[in-house]
Amino acid sequence: MFSRSLAGLTLMVCLSAVLPSASARANSVDTYGQARRLFEAGKFREARDLVNAAITDDPKLGSAFALRSRLWRVAGELALEREDAGRALARFGSGKLDADSLIAQSSAFIAVGKLTDALRSADAAAGATGRSADALAARGRVLFEQGQLRKSERDFSAALAARPSVPLWLYARAQIRYELGEMPKAIADLTEALRVNQDFAAAFGLLGACLARQNDMTRALKAYDRATLLEGEYIYPYLGRAAIYAKQGDEPLALKELESAVHADAHDYQPYINRAEIHWRANRRELALADLHNALIAGKLTPEAALSIAERYVSIQLWREAIDAYSRALGLSTAPDAAILMRRARALEAGSDPKKALSDLDEAVAIAPDSATAIAARGALESRLDMDKKALEDFTRALRLAPKQVDLLVSRASHFARNGAPQRAMQDFNTALQIDPNSAAAYNGRGALRANAFNDSSAGLADVSKAVSLAPQDQGFLFNRGILLLKNRRYLKALADFDAALRLKGASARVLERRAQAKFEFGDHVGAKTDIDAALELEPQNATAFDTLGDLRLRARRYDQAVRDLTQALAKDPRLMSAAIHRGRAYAALGRSREALADLRRATEIEPRSKEAWTDLCQLRRLSDDPQGAIADCTQALTIDSQYGPAYFQKALAELSQKQYTRALEDLDNAQQLAVRRAEVSLAMSAAHAGLRQYREAHRAYLKALVRDPSARSFFSGFAPGHPNGKDFTAAIGEFEPQMQETPRDPAVLVLRGDALQSADLFDKAVVEFTKAMEFDGLSADAYVGRGNALSAQDALEAAEHDFSRALELAPQDSDARIRLAVAKTLRGLHKAAAAELEKVLKNEPKNAEALLRAGNVAYFAGDTKKALSYYQQAVSADPLSAAARNGLGLGLFALKREDEALENFSAAISLNPLGDRYYRNRASVWTARRQYTNATADFRIASLVNTDPLQIDEYRRLIEESARRSGEVAP
């Protein structure tokens, strides 16, 4: 904190070959005493000259080297500070020292980072001198370095009571009081110090900071000005003035002051860091990064500053730069530092160098073998590297050392969760919360476990919400809750959480990526593209951003573009499993099976425990006529997660091709229970029942498919929606024709045959089959329901109504038949009669989701929107996985001009059934009403790809062209 000319002095001391004389030694001690008094008075220049003279007279005077070490510290020359401290300690040796030497030794220990030894020396000095003022001040210095501010204040106060008005001690006590927020007391100390030494530049600098803290900016600026006049190369006043101007919104003046600070001392890191922060807030990324680099190579950089720079690089995922900064911090540290090694390990792992990361953690554990935190950190990395045995050993060892350390329990719980031991994970999370009921990290981890491993979304969301309430400023918890809300199709709340997370400091690129995903799910294609572009601008080398962009292209059915973006993601990070999965799906949708197979196998090699990768591989092998391989892959996925519905569905389809109908039915039932509630599952169940000659059950399954999606035609779903790979339902049932011929007069056979014909829109032929069934069995309610459906599809509503009524005469408790009767009446405009039929169903089955949905439709068509909305809400409550109910709710909300909520519900319907073109069309209508035509165009386009019915092609083409024209774009 004085002229850097001190730093330019040579350290070379010409030593005589003979020992100094007694008189020279006496002169040295006397000169050193004068230098120390000047130092305590805050007269650093004068003290510098005398201490150098003392060292020249007696190069073995350890106390003089200790004092010069402190002068180097004042000048910010930390390397020279440690060098002279080392010389001092070497000269003191290990023998018995007098009180003055103990005080000097204590300051030297501080310089080399040995605070425990420093305190021991200061205590010994205090004991040897009967608590002299100098010894108390020395101990106060050590306590300050240890962060024990109150104890440090007491020692300096005692020292000042014994020797009043020592400027350096007053300054030191003012520093403590500044840190404690006691500005009036700090200002009083500084005023007293300046009364004794009016040229004490550092005291004026600290006085400026205290006044600024009290918002007395005018006097603060005057104090900084005075400090600058006294010492032009003392940078603290420039930094203080810059902070004031920045707070006042005067960026040009703030930058000017920081430039002056750089000119005053180009070797100090602080001006660069402060200027980088201003540039960062103003979105001048390149200038900010340039200043961070300048700070990192500054000669006076401290380990703490290097760490702060590293953390900034981490926040923007510049891993290589972060690693360099951590390495710089390690190089500047007085001793190997396990904490810095642990941080560098995290950056190395994130930068795709897990082996070096593990090496750092091995070194950290070697340095601190009793550090439970270091051991657990190594265990966490070993867990991620699938070194499960070693990971568990490390976690167990760490918890033996610290059995009640909550973060260790959370880490081990995460390991168990990752390795398919959810019960043990839950036990650790619960134990952590018993120890600390306010552990946000434990709530966050338990929430993720409940949502993912136990499929309990509500409980999971409640836990993560608790974590957010405990730590509302933690970006990670907000981010995680946003992810769960997104998974639960609560898009508006998810977007609110991502917005809130972006307002906090942290890794904004990853939040932008997920907000882009949420906006896409919400149907905001423009907003999604804007967010992903912003993420890529922040982190052009971020592989996950390209992966997210590729995934969005994939779900928009732009497969070629998806492949291009995902190839970039894998080029930047060849081990990014999700990118390999997504590109495999894109290749499969393009019919490039060989490339798809390579990518999906690559994904399973990168992450052998990825249920998604194994399920996708299963689907691809099924579509490639390798059912045995498909079954093996889906079995592997279910070994990883026995509650993963899509794997059951794909496995069942492979089993169907192998004529393993009983197994297929079991797996289809599991898929249905585990949230795969699409029409394709019911169609597959119908085919499996047919294979087992259970024709009536096959008919019932077909009716369920009609409820879920009347346009569904096939269960042989491929990777490209709208283009099923394999037979349609009609052809699938046709395969059973030989066995069905064995019982030609069986009404159930004829009904199923009619269902198959109706699925192919061959309504006249379907009616013939249903009528035949009636001729063989006039009491077959199924035949009347089937024919009623076929007649309804031909708009022969009166005849259909007659058939449904006859079915009810034969089976009065058949709620499905009564619902179909109500639908027919609704289509005829007989709303009261339709409502009456539905009330009969709801009286016996108040939570019948389809009846509630149809009641909503009746009210909607009758113009009672509020009543319709109530029914739709009840339908969604009764069956949250019903896409049709969500669609109905969207219609009701849209009619009431609650457009955001309408968009959310249409989006949820799309998520539940991505093959329902009317859901995209309805959402596009909302975007059109909001005059956001680009989003509408995108939705109309996807709808046209999903529904390949030739009758719809021209209509969708017209809608796309009209919407594109309004947006000023060229129709895709």
Side-chain angles (χ1 to χ4, degrees), residues 242-315:
I244 290 174
Y245 294 138
K247 186 175 181 180
Q248 293 174 341
D250 193 337
E251 183 186 291
L253 268 180
L255 290 172
K256 183 179 178 181
E257 290 295 336
L258 291 172
E259 186 64 26
S260 297
V262 170
H263 284 302
D265 189 350
H267 300 290
D268 198 295
Y269 65 88
Q270 195 65 59
Y272 298 114
I273 287 182
N274 291 9
R275 191 166 64 183
E277 195 59 34
I278 290 176
H279 286 318
W280 199 264
R281 287 198 297 268
N283 292 319
R284 295 187 290 267
R285 176 189 170 91
E286 295 306 319
L287 290 174
L289 292 177
D291 269 337
L292 287 178
H293 174 73
N294 288 334
L296 197 60
I297 62 174
K300 295 182 180 180
L301 184 70
T302 65
E304 295 77 17
L307 273 177
S308 72
I309 294 169
E311 296 301 316
R312 166 57 82 180
Y313 284 138
V314 166
S315 74

Side-chain angles (χ1 to χ4, degrees), residues 725-736:
N725 189 318
K727 309 174 195 68
D728 59 17
F729 179 72
T730 307
I733 298 301
E735 284 194 353
F736 302 117

Side-chain angles (χ1 to χ4, degrees), residues 449-582:
L449 181 71
R450 283 175 159 171
N452 298 322
F454 293 99
N455 292 314
D456 191 342
S457 297
S458 297
L461 193 54
D463 269 352
V464 178
S465 294
K466 178 69 173 177
V468 172
S469 69
L470 289 167
Q473 299 303 306
D474 189 298
Q475 188 191 66
F477 298 154
L478 274 167
F479 176 78
N480 289 346
R481 187 171 69 176
I483 294 292
L484 282 184
L485 288 164
L486 179 58
K487 185 177 180 180
N488 283 277
R489 305 177 184 90
R490 296 169 66 179
Y491 305 115
L492 293 170
K493 288 186 178 295
L495 286 167
D497 270 357
F498 293 140
D499 289 344
L502 284 169
R503 289 193 288 271
L504 302 172
K505 287 185 177 180
S508 58
R510 69 167 186 165
V511 183
L512 283 165
E513 289 173 44
R514 295 286 76 81
R515 191 173 73 173
Q517 182 186 351
K519 286 180 176 178
F520 181 89
E521 298 277 12
F522 191 63
D524 184 2
H525 301 264
V526 174
K529 185 63 168 60
T530 299
D531 273 356
I532 204 67
D533 285 345
L536 284 167
E537 185 177 347
L538 282 173
E539 299 176 18
Q541 300 305 311
N542 185 351
T544 63
F546 279 102
D547 177 33
T548 300
L549 178 58
D551 186 33
L552 299 186
R553 307 264 204 214
L554 174 64
R555 287 187 288 161
R557 280 70 170 177
R558 296 185 179 274
Y559 303 118
D560 286 321
Q561 292 178 6
V563 167
R564 180 195 65 198
D565 294 326
L566 294 163
T567 299
Q568 286 209 58
L570 288 165
K572 296 176 190 305
D573 184 356
R575 291 191 58 79
L576 186 57
M577 179 203 66
S578 57
I581 291 177
H582 293 147

